[in-house]
């Protein structure tokens, strides 16, 4: 959930900041996958490659925590899938 966002333009700006910061800080792939036309909702998908599942989970949790620390949005659901 995005708070204090009043347009799709503002939403895109916030999403761009988040995706750039996470990609730069954790070197993982991240993209918005759903709710493109709703200005107060977004869904991200992140992916990383590692030889160790524990390390991959640690990196993904840190990225989720970074998003959750922001005051302008709220993380509501987190799902992990391992291949």
């Amino acid at each position: 959930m995005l708070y204090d966002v009043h347009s799709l333009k503002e939403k895109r700006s916030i999403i761009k900041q988040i995706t750039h910061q996470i990609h730069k800080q954790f070197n993982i792939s991240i993209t918005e996958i759903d709710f493109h036309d709703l200005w107060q909702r977004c869904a991200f998908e992140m992916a990383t490659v590692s030889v160790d599942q524990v390390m991959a989970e640690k990196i993904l949790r840190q990225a989720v925590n970074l998003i959750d620390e922001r005051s302008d949005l709220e993380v509501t659901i987190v799902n992990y899938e391992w291949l």
Side-chain angles (χ1 to χ4, degrees), residues 49-75:
V49 177
S50 177
V51 294
D52 183 16
Q53 181 177 334
V54 174
M55 180 58 85
E57 186 173 355
K58 179 181 176 183
I59 292 169
L60 292 171
R61 285 186 191 274
Q62 288 175 341
V64 170
N65 287 341
L66 183 74
I67 294 171
D68 203 28
E69 288 174 355
R70 293 181 62 110
S71 62
D72 57 348
L73 54 93
E74 174 185 1
V75 175

Side-chain angles (χ1 to χ4, degrees), residues 39-56:
W39 49 272
Q40 287 190 317
R41 295 200 59 189
C42 68
F44 291 113
E45 187 163 305
M46 295 183 274
T48 187
V49 177
S50 177
V51 294
D52 183 16
Q53 181 177 334
V54 174
M55 180 58 85

